[in-house]
Amino acid sequence: MGEPPDTRPSSEFHARNFSTADVGRLVAALDAQDEADGVRRLRAWTQGALNPRPGEHVIDVGSGTGSHTLALAAAVAPSGDAVGIEANPALRQVAEQRAAAAGSTARFVDGDALALPLPDATVDVVWCERVLQHLSEPDKAVGEIARVLRPGGRVALIDSDWATALLHPGDPDAVAAMTAGTLAAAANPYSGRRLADQLSAAGLVVDDRGSQALLQDNETVPWPLVRMMGESTVRRGLMTEEQRDRLYAELTEAAERGALHMSVTMFAVVAHRPA
């Protein structure tokens, strides 16, 4: 269903907060997302609209395991370059290993979305996927993207809007509580709907918009994440333990007969900096 908001007590997600023990789970979750049909379709549409070209300088803000940084590097080859900016050193190491194994020219550097390690007006193309939802200062990150773009440079922002999350079946009160708990846990849960507004406010011109509902396969339900969201909801006093347990049972039974619906909608916006 896409990467859920962080449901730990802190409301501010930051890659530097991950311990070494979290890395394996995080990489597995990111890999699973890369394989999701909805993610693939929205990435393909967005890359087409963004149109990175050979010779251009591209950055991938919050590059994670580098899966899309490699795709960007291939698009701007042989004379261009793609750099993934990632604060988590363990994820950077995974990305570097995978780039080397693939023979890609993609590079990965330490950096923060709120303070990009680049001079003004030096980048042709920026890709930023599912990062802003985790930031308590997303407008500052968009401002940084606008700062580093050259005149005529393009940017693609992709993010989820967690108010669009749907869960069925289940007691309506319990489902509503789970949704409320998820929204309360996120730093920027309505990120998807805000993208065009943020880009415009940063002085950029919106060129195109797209969306894709991410549907969860009944055979690969991320139960640990569902339970994490349920525990967070109970801790916040929004749902009782009895409601949580009944909801788990209903969802499990539905998944076993192929009747579970879990989804969230992702949005993509492509914009450019005026020349």
Side-chain angles (χ1 to χ4, degrees), residues 15-258:
R16 298 185 196 278
N17 291 337
F18 283 104
S19 69
T20 302
D22 292 318
V23 172
R25 187 188 69 170
L26 179 58
V27 170
L30 293 173
D31 286 347
Q33 290 161 24
D34 288 344
E35 294 300 316
D37 289 340
V39 170
R40 289 185 170 191
R41 285 193 289 266
L42 191 57
R43 281 181 173 177
W45 177 88
T46 307
Q47 179 124 342
L50 190 64
N51 190 27
R53 298 183 286 269
E56 292 189 312
H57 175 40
V58 182
I59 63 171
D60 182 1
V61 179
S63 52
T65 62
S67 60
H68 201 72
T69 320
L70 270 62
L72 293 168
V76 299
S79 53
D81 71 308
V83 178
I85 298 174
E86 174 57 54
N88 188 318
L91 289 181
R92 283 203 311 277
Q93 183 178 24
V94 170
E96 289 164 355
Q97 291 170 345
R98 292 181 175 184
S104 173
T105 59
R107 297 183 292 114
F108 299 90
V109 300
D110 184 20
D112 192 316
L114 302 181
L116 295 174
L118 295 163
D120 295 355
T122 55
V123 177
D124 296 302
V125 177
V126 177
W127 182 280
C128 184
E129 180 181 340
R130 285 173 295 174
V131 173
L132 300 180
Q133 65 180 289
H134 298 299
L135 301 179
S136 59
E137 297 181 281
D139 294 352
K140 185 175 181 180
V142 177
E144 276 291 280
I145 288 171
R147 177 184 67 79
V148 302
L149 272 179
R150 291 188 175 118
R154 292 101 64 210
V155 54
L157 300 182
I158 301 176
D159 225 322
S160 307
D161 191 309
W162 285 94
T164 67
L166 299 176
L167 185 62
H168 176 83
D171 174 73
D173 290 339
V175 171
M178 182 83 91
T179 300
T182 300
L183 293 174
N188 181 26
Y190 307 108
S191 182
R193 72 186 65 181
R194 300 187 60 222
L195 301 177
D197 187 16
Q198 289 172 310
L199 289 164
S200 296
L204 305 180
V205 178
V206 172
D207 298 309
D208 209 346
R209 294 182 286 182
S211 66
Q212 180 70 51
L214 303 186
L215 298 169
Q216 179 62 55
D217 189 313
N218 279 245
E219 296 181 358
T220 58
V221 179
W223 293 116
L225 295 178
V226 173
R227 292 184 181 278
M228 187 186 304
M229 293 162 71
E231 293 301 320
S232 174
T233 303
V234 170
R235 282 198 307 271
R236 293 173 185 275
L238 301 173
M239 181 167 61
T240 67
E241 292 183 357
E242 291 75 18
Q243 284 179 305
R244 175 202 63 197
D245 293 343
R246 282 198 303 272
L247 182 58
Y248 287 165
E250 289 173 314
L251 297 176
T252 300
E253 186 275 335
E256 289 173 350
R257 58 187 175 90

